[in-house]
Amino acid sequence: MEKAKLQEYWKINLGYLIGLLVAWFLVSYGFGILLAEPLNAIQIGGFKLGFWFAQQGSIYIFVLLIFIYVALMNSLDRKFDVREE
């Protein structure tokens, strides 16, 4: 792959990583810690929503973000015609 395409590929890849890490940070730290009290006014299945995000929600979101990253990278690999050997 030529250098310009390689740089564009990694620029897009880093953009995906930064965006997904920001989303994970917002869910785990923001919802689980900073906004826990306001979210605790909402209950799902008998559990306060702030507690749920702190204990389980950030883990579920992390796993979901992994699948999103895989899908994004597969699409990017097809766009740049990158194949694993």
Side-chain angles (χ1 to χ4, degrees):
M1 188 183 314
E2 65 188 54
K3 187 174 181 176
K5 285 185 85 174
L6 185 62
Q7 287 178 335
E8 183 182 359
Y9 176 86
W10 283 106
K11 182 179 177 183
I12 295 170
N13 183 10
L14 288 176
Y16 290 160
L17 283 173
I18 291 168
L20 293 171
L21 285 173
V22 166
W24 186 38
F25 175 80
L26 288 175
V27 169
S28 62
Y29 188 75
F31 292 171
I33 297 172
L34 296 177
L35 299 174
E37 288 301 319
L39 290 174
N40 280 338
I42 303 167
Q43 289 196 1
I44 295 179
F47 296 100
K48 295 178 180 178
L49 189 58
F51 173 79
W52 184 85
F53 270 114
Q55 300 302 314
Q56 297 173 351
S58 61
I59 296 169
Y60 290 145
I61 296 299
F62 179 70
V63 172
L64 178 66
L65 291 175
I66 291 171
F67 285 107
I68 291 171
Y69 179 70
V70 168
L72 288 170
M73 287 307 298
N74 284 337
S75 173
L76 186 63
D77 287 348
R78 280 191 300 277
K79 178 181 175 183
F80 283 89
D81 196 29
V82 176
R83 293 186 177 90
E84 294 183 33
E85 296 180 18

